[in-house]
Amino acid sequence: MTDSYDVVVVGCGGAGAATTWWLARSGFRVLAIDRFEAHHVRGSSHGRERIVRLAYGDPVYVALAQESLRMWHELDAAIDAPLVRTVGGVDTGFADELEQVARGCESAGVPYDWLNPDEARRTFPGLRFEGRALLQRDAGCVDAHAALDTFERSAVANGAVIHRSETVTRIEEQAAGVDVTTDRATYRGDAVVVTTGAWAASTLAGLAPLPPISVTREQVAFFRPKRDATFPTFIDRRETSYYGLPTPTGLLKVGEHYTGPVVDADTYSADLEPRTWQRLLAWVRDNVPGVEPNPVDHNTCLYASGPDEDFVVDRRGRVTVGVGLGGHGFKFLPLLGRRLAEIATGTPWADNPFRFARGPRLAGRSLHK
Ligand SMILES: Cc1cc2nc3c(=O)[nH]c(=O)nc-3n(C[C@H](O)[C@H](O)[C@H](O)COP(=O)(O)OP(=O)(O)OC[C@H]3O[C@@H](n4cnc5c(N)ncnc54)[C@H](O)[C@@H]3O)c2cc1C
């Protein structure tokens, strides 16, 4: 046995880094362990760009997004280079989903505007609009890479220990603590937080009543804007849904939402899948006149999703679980990190909507991004 800690965090991607940050700043002795190096590209948190937005169809997510955005802005106020850029967000596509998003905004007093196609084109000439668009002006982009660095730097400054390129092979509850065994050593924690994303099912086998987590491989493309074109974040809600956002390096990232194949996180290939790739390029040609049509870059990333795109945040014994963040979890990281830290150290989340056993939150489809 080597060192002991108040909390051992297993998996230090987005959720693990945010949890480690909150634990350390709250004065707990914390060790975070990740099997890969910082900013590795095998999971779900790499790259520089993620949408932050308040406009969800589900009032629960609207309220959580509001609290999360406040926390991002507080974090920004404490550092030199802001993580969040506010550019506005537009939703287009299925009328019933747009109505649902409007109702979600109204539930929490989030302001929004309806733009008819002419108004939308005048406001965002880089995009093509057929029907009306819902504009929510607080939406923006968070620099994901810088956010992870910020969580980790702050955690380490507050005494956290972070081990990388070390794989957790067993988590065992004992009467007086939890033993976390890796390919290097065994550590003891009073509690453990498991934030292993696409590896949740294997790391939590036998430890928690996890709902099914599906792992899909999604691919995104980056385009160079034509001169003077600026973009909001956008989501086009259709049979095949698309989203996009401006990146910190001046490009436009565009992806399809949930069209990638189910994969095994240990063995999947990062090669482009030609059919969906060509469809994505065709959609951009038809709908985004403000960019040069040939992509300048691409990458792949894993969605690790619980049922109905809802997160899984709960505790069994000494094991707290924060997984299933899917394709929309990044914007909530400061808040989820805080809640996971609190649950692990004895403060339950009142009205937690993401328990192991829960039903679907909304009837019908409501795309979360
Ligand atoms: C293409 C794409 C676009 C997205 N866009 C948005 C967006 O615009 N807005 C938004 O809010 N969200 C977005 N998301 C979602 C968001 O990025 C993810 O929900 C979030 O990053 C998930 O973080 P995580 O910590 O759960 O997973 P990860 O970051 O993958 O972390 C899990 C970590 O666990 C580690 N691990 C696993 N097993 C072990 C083990 N045995 N021992 C040690 N370590 C282990 C892994 O190495 C990994 O680092 C997007 C996701 C993708 C893929």
Side-chain angles (χ1 to χ4, degrees), residues 11-15 33-36 40 43-45 50-51 166-168 195-197 199 203 220 243 253 301-303 325-331 369:
C12 194
I33 306 171
D34 200 285
R35 63 190 293 182
F36 296 124
H40 71 85
S44 308
S45 299
R50 294 293 188 280
I51 297 173
E166 181 169 348
T167 302
V168 172
T195 42
T196 45
W199 294 264
T203 37
V220 300
Y243 68 92
K253 168 177 164 177
C301 185
L302 299 179
Y303 283 3
L325 274 61
H328 70 123
F330 207 97
K331 70 182 67 59
K369 184 68 199 173

